[in-house]
Amino acid sequence: MSILGKCPYCDGSVISKKITVKGKNIKLYSCENSKKEYDESEQYVFTADSTCRFRVYSNSFLRYNKRSIGEFEMKKLLEDGQIVVRLHGKKGGNEYFKYAIPHEEYGISILWDEEVEEKIS
Ligand SMILES: [Zn+2]
């Protein structure tokens, strides 16, 4: 568990944790004030003492063929308010770059309408 930076939406720190989802090891980058638990009906819900919803799963962009959002990318996102992510078409097809920004509810979202001028290495 390590602290990556400040939450964009509250005073909390964003913490990196290793978790297992459906047998896969991924990372969860979560504001310390954003906590979830299973309720009586097995729904995964925010706890009563959660005051923030900011959570980013490292596999958030899996559907765009980005396997994982790394801790370094997450740190940069918190510091700069945006990052450039490398995404791929289906079956390893053409790669392309987009800006990603924090999102209070979804954790992270892609700015589809903005072109990325410079590629980063
Ligand atoms: Zn927060």
Side-chain angles (χ1 to χ4, degrees):
M1 198 165 101
S2 62
I3 292 174
L4 302 179
K6 274 235 161 268
C7 175
Y9 303 104
C10 74
D11 287 335
S13 297
V14 175
I15 295 160
S16 166
K17 279 182 229 171
K18 286 183 185 138
I19 59 168
T20 306
V21 177
K22 292 175 186 162
K24 293 226 189 299
N25 294 319
I26 63 165
K27 281 182 178 159
L28 168 64
Y29 311 120
S30 167
C31 173
E32 61 189 343
N33 296 320
S34 166
K35 287 165 270 180
K36 277 189 160 185
E37 64 184 3
Y38 287 97
D39 68 7
E40 311 84 60
S41 54
E42 296 295 304
Q43 300 278 353
Y44 196 48
V45 296
F46 285 100
T47 60
D49 64 340
S50 282
T51 53
C52 187
R53 301 175 86 84
F54 186 61
R55 302 159 73 81
V56 176
Y57 293 90
S58 65
N59 63 356
S60 295
F61 292 155
L62 205 55
R63 83 191 83 152
Y64 312 117
N65 297 299
K66 179 173 172 58
R67 215 153 50 89
S68 177
I69 299 163
E71 283 192 1
F72 179 77
E73 287 176 292
M74 199 57 209
K75 274 184 191 171
K76 205 164 154 47
L77 180 72
L78 297 173
E79 249 174 51
D80 300 347
Q82 68 172 34
I83 50 170
V84 175
V85 289
R86 182 167 63 184
L87 309 172
H88 288 273
K90 274 192 183 142
K91 291 179 181 166
N94 38 336
E95 65 174 26
Y96 56 101
F97 294 82
K98 284 289 168 191
Y99 292 112
I101 56 166
H103 190 286
E104 194 165 8
E105 197 172 339
Y106 305 121
I108 187 165
S109 68
I110 295 171
L111 297 177
W112 290 110
D113 296 337
E114 298 232 11
E115 294 299 323
V116 174
E117 297 286 318
E118 273 174 69
K119 289 181 183 176
I120 51 153
S121 54

